[in-house]
Amino acid sequence: MKEDLWRLLAVMSGSFIIGLLTGQILLCLLTGLSGYVYWQYRAFKQLLLWLQKRSQHETPEHSGLVDQIAREFDYRRSRHNKRKKKLSNYLKRFQKAVAALPDAIVVLGENDKIEWANEKARKYIGVRWPQDSEQRISNLIRYPELLSFLEDASKHSPEKHIEIVAPADAELQLEIRVSPYGNNQRLLVARNITKLHRINQMRTDFIANASHELRTPLTVISGYLEAFSDDDNGSPTVWQDQISRMRRQADRMRTMIESLLKLASLESEQKPSSEKRINVPDIITSICQEAIQLSGGLNPHKITFDIDPELWLKGDEKDLHSAFSNLVFNAVKYSPKGSDIQIDWYQDNNGAHFAATDSGEGIAPEHISRLTERFYRVDPGRSRDKGGTGLGLAIVKHVLVKHRATLEIESAIGRGSTFRCDFPVDLIVQPDSIPLSI
Ligand code: ADP
């Protein structure tokens, strides 16, 4: 800056002296100034050309302001380049780390277009990077279950997942999660759960096989016990009490084996084994009649029901019967005689609902989330006394999952409980509608 001022001063002084000598002061000053402005103009022009096309033009050699601007620009450029290099190194390292993950990762942008994917995505779900960049994932994966999960992903929580056979390798079992992030982007993560799936399968098969094997000897034992309990067979009277106790235990074992087999078969099917139109009002009415018998025949429990006779569902009749009866019989088992039990079957905008409300002992909040686990009982002794197996609510949960329904439990100690099954609207059918093709 100072250099430029001195230069201007020198030009103006020189022009002034020449003006004095020639007697044309003003003309000389104007000529000197114009020369100076033109010189600066050329310097800036050179600077501009250098900034625009650095490789083809020399660095401006003018000292002063132009030189300072060129230096400042050079400094900022090299700083920017360093930062860019650092960021691109970070990005490379991050991409290497994500690529090394054992899970398949796919970044989905607007309209579910693929923005990035790691190597495992090719192996598990057949998405190749960079070949499939900007393709819509629905054009690459023709897997209805996964596509409808992606479509509905915004409605459910990121914890929700589905388990499917890997689209790119039928030997693999995947657990898929979708998490929204950033600006309308979503992260699809597919985890290989083949080993876990096999272990679960082995466990289910083992329970099913063991239960199946136990069934026959138990039938023989029960048959003999029945024969022994018959006085006409000449069995000693002193043994009658023990024999009837043995029969009760054998009956319990049979119920447990049947429940275990039921659970194993429910677990092995993803969907209802049949999707017929079900006359649910009829099923519930007959269950309520059975419940009155169970509670002592003369309805000492004051069971009342409000059932929509027009509300049918499509699904599996046996499974639905077993879920509803478990809930109604539990209401009878776990509430004292004389108390009220209300059974409702109704429809609203959210779908169809079955609710069993009792005014019995109720359940403490810490137990509620665990009630549908196998063999989970709030009071094991009491459950056994009532002939419970601890498997009823596990069966209910599996039946509901198969029907895309959910179980809601509301309970308060001393005030009673409501067990409500919520079925989606699309399962509802009218009683007189055309039969569905299965
Ligand atoms: P169980 O065969 O023991 O009844 P369930 O799986 O049907 O097994 O129920 C699990 C546990 O939940 C029961 O042991 C009981 O403690 C509790 N429970 C279920 N229904 C009710 C209810 N209506 N009122 C109070 N407790 C209940």
Side-chain angles (χ1 to χ4, degrees):
M1 279 287 274
K2 266 186 194 162
E3 216 173 315
D4 287 300
L5 285 175
W6 281 118
R7 197 178 289 136
L8 176 63
L9 206 65
V11 170
M12 294 313 280
S13 315
S15 307
F16 184 72
I17 292 165
I18 295 170
L20 270 184
L21 293 174
T22 56
Q24 297 284 338
I25 296 174
L26 197 63
L27 187 67
C28 287
L29 279 177
L30 268 173
T31 314
L33 193 63
S34 310
Y36 182 80
V37 168
Y38 178 68
W39 183 79
Q40 281 289 17
Y41 163 76
R42 278 195 44 148
F44 277 109
K45 196 174 168 193
Q46 206 180 344
L47 175 69
L48 181 69
L49 283 171
W50 177 73
L51 289 178
Q52 284 171 339
K53 292 180 184 158
R54 275 170 66 92
S55 52
Q56 294 166 20
H57 292 272
E58 298 279 302
T59 322
E61 278 172 6
H62 298 266
S63 53
L65 194 59
V66 172
D67 181 50
Q68 274 176 26
I69 292 173
R71 274 171 204 277
E72 183 65 25
F73 181 80
D74 240 5
Y75 166 72
R76 284 181 187 272
R77 237 179 94 98
S78 79
R79 212 170 63 167
H80 171 76
N81 280 348
K82 269 190 206 155
R83 203 180 287 169
K84 210 165 110 182
K85 207 168 157 192
K86 211 167 150 186
L87 275 175
S88 101
N89 280 342
Y90 274 141
L91 196 66
K92 273 187 199 146
R93 263 187 279 162
F94 172 75
Q95 286 189 344
K96 270 190 192 163
V98 179
L101 276 178
D103 302 337
I105 313 271
V106 183
V107 176
L108 299 172
E110 200 87 27
N111 294 325
D112 279 346
K113 283 187 183 157
I114 296 164
E115 289 190 350
W116 187 82
N118 67 355
E119 181 52 28
K120 280 283 190 300
R122 185 186 58 76
K123 198 171 163 217
Y124 291 172
I125 44 180
V127 170
R128 295 159 310 150
W129 179 261
Q131 294 91 321
D132 294 332
S133 161
E134 285 303 305
Q135 288 257 29
R136 288 182 78 160
I137 194 155
S138 50
N139 295 342
L140 298 174
I141 302 174
R142 311 225 170 261
Y143 229 85
E145 211 183 331
L146 177 60
L147 295 180
S148 66
F149 179 71
L150 276 170
E151 238 167 60
D152 300 341
S154 52
K155 292 181 211 150
H156 42 68
S157 71
E159 283 82 47
K160 181 143 186 197
H161 65 267
I162 50 160
E163 290 177 16
I164 56 164
V165 174
D169 184 348
E171 297 283 298
L172 300 179
Q173 191 75 21
L174 300 179
E175 178 194 272
I176 306 226
R177 285 170 201 273
V178 176
S179 327
Y181 78 99
N183 202 4
N184 259 343
Q185 282 168 309
R186 302 200 289 170
L187 195 68
L188 183 149
V189 182
R191 192 160 73 96
N192 182 355
I193 52 157
T194 313
K195 268 192 193 161
L196 197 73
H197 183 75
R198 278 199 196 124
I199 293 170
N200 274 339
Q201 192 62 49
M202 273 164 58
R203 185 185 54 106
T204 310
D205 290 350
F206 171 75
I207 294 175
N209 291 338
S211 310
H212 199 74
E213 291 299 322
L214 285 170
R215 216 187 204 171
T216 320
L218 191 64
T219 312
V220 176
I221 294 171
S222 298
Y224 280 118
L225 286 175
E226 202 172 326
F228 287 147
S229 64
D230 195 346
D231 286 341
D232 297 344
N233 281 341
S235 47
T237 333
V238 284
W239 284 99
Q240 283 309 316
D241 187 33
Q242 282 86 339
I243 289 172
S244 82
R245 262 191 275 159
M246 279 194 272
R247 277 190 71 188
R248 270 204 304 279
Q249 293 304 325
D251 281 348
R252 262 199 72 213
M253 271 174 81
R254 206 182 46 244
T255 318
M256 198 171 291
I257 286 173
E258 295 306 330
S259 299
L260 283 170
L261 284 169
K262 176 91 198 151
L263 264 178
S265 88
L266 281 169
E267 268 184 332
S268 63
E269 300 157 6
Q270 298 285 321
K271 285 181 172 175
S273 46
S274 128
E275 284 213 337
K276 287 188 183 144
R277 290 169 55 242
I278 313 290
N279 184 346
V280 179
D282 250 16
I283 298 182
I284 301 175
T285 312
S286 80
I287 293 172
C288 289
Q289 301 303 340
E290 284 175 54
I292 292 171
Q293 295 305 317
L294 181 77
S295 90
L298 295 166
N299 201 9
H301 264 104
K302 291 193 227 150
I303 302 176
T304 47
F305 36 95
D306 186 358
I307 298 168
D308 180 346
E310 304 272 287
L311 185 52
W312 287 31
L313 284 187
K314 57 178 172 178
D316 187 308
E317 183 167 356
K318 266 194 188 164
D319 286 352
L320 288 175
H321 183 283
S322 124
F324 295 154
S325 59
N326 265 310
L327 295 179
V328 176
F329 297 161
N330 273 355
V332 173
K333 274 195 294 184
Y334 297 105
S335 46
K337 289 203 164 129
S339 62
D340 295 320
I341 292 174
Q342 172 70 30
I343 309 297
D344 294 298
W345 174 238
Y346 60 98
Q347 176 180 2
D348 62 17
N349 290 341
N350 299 320
H353 310 276
F354 170 85
T357 306
D358 63 63
S359 45
E361 56 200 55
I363 308 158
E366 66 269 24
H367 296 295
I368 289 183
S369 63
R370 300 198 58 192
L371 288 181
T372 53
E373 288 174 22
R374 289 184 186 97
F375 297 112
Y376 189 84
R377 287 174 274 210
V378 176
D379 179 349
R382 192 161 152 65
S383 154
R384 273 188 210 109
D385 290 346
K386 305 238 170 210
T389 57
L391 295 169
L393 291 181
I395 292 177
V396 172
K397 189 185 107 179
H398 275 86
V399 170
L400 295 187
V401 168
K402 268 174 65 177
H403 288 82
R404 289 181 287 117
T406 50
L407 178 68
E408 294 296 325
I409 306 171
E410 278 169 29
S411 190
I413 289 280
R415 274 193 293 169
S417 321
T418 298
F419 287 74
R420 200 186 68 232
C421 310
D422 300 328
F423 293 88
V425 179
D426 60 296
L427 283 193
I428 299 174
V429 283
Q430 297 300 317
D432 52 349
S433 61
I434 307 144
L436 288 166
S437 56
I438 303 159

